[in-house]
Amino acid sequence: MGFVCSVFKMVSVLFLGVLALDCFTEFGSSAQLLPESEVRTLRTVFSKMQHPNAGTVSRALCSDSSWNFTIATVVESGIVCNCSDGNNTICHVTQILIKGHNLTGILPPELGNLTHLEVMSLLGNRLSGPIPGEIGDIPTLEGLVLEDNMLGGSLPSNLGNLGRLSRLLLSANNFTGRIPESFGNLKNLTDFRIDGSSLSGKIPDFIGNWTTLTRLDMQGTSMEGPIPSTISELKNLTNLRITDLSGRSSAFPNLNGMKDMKELVLRNCLLTGSIPSYIGEMTSLKTLDLSFNRLSGQIPQTLQGLKKIDYLFLTNNSLTGPVPGWVLGSDNNIDLSYNNFTSSSQTSCQQARVNLVSSSSSSADSNSVSWCLRKDLPCPRKPTHHSLFINCGGEHMDINGNEFEEDLSTIGPSNFFSSANKWAYSSTGVYLGNDGAHYTARASSAVPGPAFYNSARLAPQSLKYYGLCLLRGNYNVTLHFAEIMYSDKETFESLGRRLFDVSIQGKVVLEDFNIMEEAGGVGKGIFKEFNVDVNGSTLEIHLYWRGKGTTAIPDRGVYGPLISAITVTPNFKVDTGKGLSAGLIAGIVIGSCVILILLLIILRLLGYLGGKHDENSELHGLELQTGYFSLRQIKAYVQQEQGNLLELVDPSLGSEYSKEEALRLLNLALVCTNPSPTLRPSMSSVVSMIEGKAPVQAPLIKRRDSDQDARFKAFEMLSHDSQTNVSTFSHDSQAPRSTSMDGTLN
Ligand SMILES: *[C@@H]1O[C@H](CO)[C@@H](O)[C@H](O)[C@H]1NC(C)=O
Ligand SMILES: *[C@@H]1O[C@H](CO)[C@@H](O)[C@H](O)[C@H]1NC(C)=O
Ligand SMILES: *[C@@H]1O[C@H](CO)[C@@H](O)[C@H](O)[C@H]1NC(C)=O
Ligand SMILES: *[C@@H]1O[C@H](CO)[C@@H](O)[C@H](O)[C@H]1NC(C)=O
Ligand SMILES: *[C@@H]1O[C@H](CO)[C@@H](O)[C@H](O)[C@H]1NC(C)=O
Ligand SMILES: *[C@@H]1O[C@H](CO)[C@@H](O)[C@H](O)[C@H]1NC(C)=O
Ligand SMILES: *[C@@H]1O[C@H](CO)[C@@H](O)[C@H](O)[C@H]1NC(C)=O
Ligand SMILES: *[C@@H]1O[C@H](CO)[C@@H](O)[C@H](O)[C@H]1NC(C)=O
Ligand SMILES: *[C@@H]1O[C@H](CO)[C@@H](O)[C@H](O)[C@H]1NC(C)=O
Ligand SMILES: *[C@@H]1O[C@H](CO)[C@@H](O)[C@H](O)[C@H]1NC(C)=O
Ligand SMILES: *[C@@H]1O[C@H](CO)[C@@H](O)[C@H](O)[C@H]1NC(C)=O
Ligand SMILES: *[C@@H]1O[C@H](CO)[C@@H](O)[C@H](O)[C@H]1NC(C)=O
């Protein structure tokens, strides 16, 4: 019996062993399968999304590695399962990632059957239609990312059932209606984004329920302010971005207690009153953007304590008082343009990296303030220009006899550039999610039509072009655009949508303008023509982003205004003002120079231009030399129409003088001899030019074909020279750091 028992035991053990082995083989890792019903659901879901591989979904999906790949940061596919159900035999899909796939279908209601789903990201597709309420039936859902699609309709109130939902990212779609009341139940939310949608209504009070929130993005919606006071409950916020609110104005919301704030953007939110001083206690702050509000009062001293700050944008408010010294001395990107500061006359247009354009209040002594700090950039002399051609973001070029000015500065963020009192631009903001993004663009393949379509200037926020010193009158303003940042080549690159607005002279002329849509595709030029009155002397073309469209395709930071070229032509007859006699010219030349010499002597006596006893002064020679060239050589210049200006310097000086000083004085002397009395500088500006406080400005005279007169040719040549020299040498407003840094002017 014992033996039989032993044999039986052995056989039993073996049998059990084999059984166990069998089980392991059959239900082991290679046999972890999805339930048949889940396969059916997934096939339906993927085929309604128009996924080309919907048909390949099988029970073995969880081990089918062809669904796992990454082509670029926004072209990605991934399926993740949890196979611990049913003693490690049954799998369920827990994550679906299909990013940048050009899926053109809809979000089907069958998604609600995926009751184990935890994360779904469909970023960067072309899915349209509404979000099905059935998604609210997925109790396990923690992350839902639907950014950069074409979804629309209202947000289903069922989503309020998703108690575990932590990330709800819906930016860059076209949702309408209000945020449902039920969203107040989403108490596990850490990240909520609805940028660039048409959602309307008041920002709801219940956002105060989202106490676990760390990031809240509401840029460019159609929602109304004010920001509810309940926001003060969101103490864990590190990134808060609310922009472009309509409705009534309000004071700054209470953000006291949000000690870990890193990015605070409340742009164009109709905020009034002063900037709270507790902002200075947010010591982790890297970006503070309170631009385009109605904030008044002074910049709080406490902001000085923000040691980590990279970007400080207070553009377009009503801030007053002096610009604090710590701001002027800062190395960071600071934009204080368009405010009401009291600027001292020492403040130049570009100090450190602080943009102060158009920032000073029009006080009585405003004449002593640099022109670029004053509102509307008034012409510092008599306006003379009557046409303007700019190749935005591109080089100088001649098209049909029109000389397009080069516009090559690559500096960003927040930059002011001006070119010889003829035109200027001011760009504000920094690209969201990519501070290395570019501020000019070049087409990867040639755009048909005029060559200027192959380059463009871009800005993250606001881009203003100014036509300066224009004659009063009516003009045709033509704006040229071509979408050159997106391409048709790659699936995901064709998904981007760029929308921005354009105002001319403060009047909105293009709203939600979409270049690609208007031109009928990528890499196609389109122009818009406008009839504009210039009543002062400044033409202002303002392009600005109101948070609409995509921001992450083909890369993070591709959005905002883009422009290829600007042409401005007069709708009136231009008086070319020719016909000065040779005698008159000679009189002007001699007269001007006599005055200049007298002035130099006076200045010398007063101790400017180096001390009396300073025999080795580099200016010593200049004094002699001015007397020398005044009559004979200037006449020779006439202005034989040739010669390098420096040839006018007394050769006996050798190289013992400052070329910069010499050129400044020579330029000045020549400017004083302008045939048009109105174009000669006033005595007070001559003084500041000699002192180097103001740049020497030679007017550009555009020769008409009929003006063959030699003196005009000479002047034109001179003005070109002096423009170059002045930009390179001056330390004041006319020396845009851009030109001296990017080397375009040597
Ligand atoms: C989804 O589930 C419902 C019932 O819960 C069922 O009737 C329906 O057939 C399922 N759909 C799919 C595609 O599996
Ligand atoms: C895809 O990759 C994830 C890890 O990133 C892995 O867990 C999963 O099993 C893979 N899925 C397939 C189908 O290979
Ligand atoms: C898988 O699901 C089981 C229960 O369904 C759960 O206990 C487990 O934590 C899950 N595993 C993972 C990695 O999520
Ligand atoms: C898991 O295994 C236990 C015992 O081994 C068994 O009782 C149970 O029914 C199994 N569950 C499933 C879903 O197969
Ligand atoms: C938040 O999520 C956790 C698990 O992630 C869950 O236990 C909790 O119930 C959720 N809160 C709500 C309000 O559903
Ligand atoms: C957004 O939705 C509205 C209303 O449904 C529609 O009129 C508009 O054309 C849509 N815009 C886009 C860009 O799809
Ligand atoms: C959410 O907030 C609203 C208004 O602040 C409040 O009335 C409501 O009770 C809150 N909801 C929950 C579920 O706590
Ligand atoms: C806020 O953050 C802290 C630290 O991460 C955490 O301990 C706390 O639970 C958070 N509070 C809420 C309401 O989520
Ligand atoms: C200032 O912002 C307002 C909107 O708040 C806008 O209408 C105006 O054009 C802006 N001004 C400048 C100079 O940007
Ligand atoms: C700021 O300047 C503008 C224009 O000069 C003026 O209309 C406005 O009243 C000023 N605001 C304050 C607060 O000084
Ligand atoms: C200005 O625009 C108008 C209307 O588009 C056009 O009729 C006119 O010819 C244009 N004038 C010039 C000088 O280009
Ligand atoms: C992406 O989808 C659009 C719309 O269906 C289609 O026109 C385009 O050819 C697709 N692009 C690629 C590369 O598949």
Side-chain angles (χ1 to χ4, degrees), residues 184-185 187 205-206 209 230:
N185 297 325
K187 295 205 163 170
D205 283 343
F206 61 71
N209 294 6
T230 55

Side-chain angles (χ1 to χ4, degrees), residues 492-509:
F492 69 97
E493 287 186 351
S494 60
L495 305 172
R497 285 193 307 280
R498 181 194 302 280
L499 287 111
F500 59 94
D501 289 11
V502 180
S503 300
I504 300 182
Q505 304 297 69
K507 210 179 109 206
V508 180
V509 293

Side-chain angles (χ1 to χ4, degrees), residues 651-698:
S652 70
L653 281 173
S655 55
E656 300 291 317
Y657 62 93
S658 155
K659 289 200 168 57
E660 178 183 341
E661 298 277 341
L663 275 170
R664 186 189 303 147
L665 289 173
L666 287 165
N667 274 315
L668 180 56
L670 291 164
V671 170
C672 289
T673 62
N674 195 303
S676 163
T678 52
L679 296 184
R680 294 197 292 269
S682 68
M683 198 53 83
S684 60
S685 29
V686 169
V687 173
S688 40
M689 287 179 203
I690 289 175
E691 290 174 344
K693 283 187 187 163
V696 182
Q697 285 284 302

Side-chain angles (χ1 to χ4, degrees), residues 569-583:
T569 53
N571 279 328
F572 54 88
K573 253 203 140 105
V574 179
D575 178 10
T576 52
K578 44 179 169 175
L580 294 184
S581 72

Side-chain angles (χ1 to χ4, degrees), residues 162-180:
L162 298 170
R164 289 168 81 163
L165 195 65
S166 143
R167 303 179 78 216
L168 182 56
L169 277 47
L170 305 175
S171 296
N173 282 284
N174 191 20
F175 298 114
T176 52
R178 290 155 182 267
I179 300 179

Side-chain angles (χ1 to χ4, degrees), residues 312-365:
L312 173 58
F313 299 144
L314 303 176
T315 324
N316 192 2
N317 277 287
S318 295
L319 297 169
T320 52
V323 176
W326 60 267
V327 166
L328 292 178
S330 170
D331 278 341
N332 303 310
N333 294 283
I334 300 185
D335 194 329
L336 303 181
S337 54
Y338 310 101
N339 272 289
N340 288 22
F341 293 112
T342 44
S343 311
S344 76
S345 48
Q346 274 87 47
T347 313
S348 74
C349 294
Q350 281 279 291
Q351 243 173 352
R353 306 192 65 183
V354 181
N355 186 352
L356 286 168
V357 171
S358 207
S359 61
S360 109
S361 52
S362 38
S363 56
D365 65 339

Side-chain angles (χ1 to χ4, degrees), residues 382-403:
K382 194 164 184 282
T384 51
H385 300 308
H386 49 72
S387 55
L388 180 61
F389 305 90
I390 306 172
N391 180 15
C392 308
E395 58 286 330
H396 171 269
M397 57 174 66
D398 184 313
I399 292 176
N400 300 331
N402 294 322
E403 299 274 328

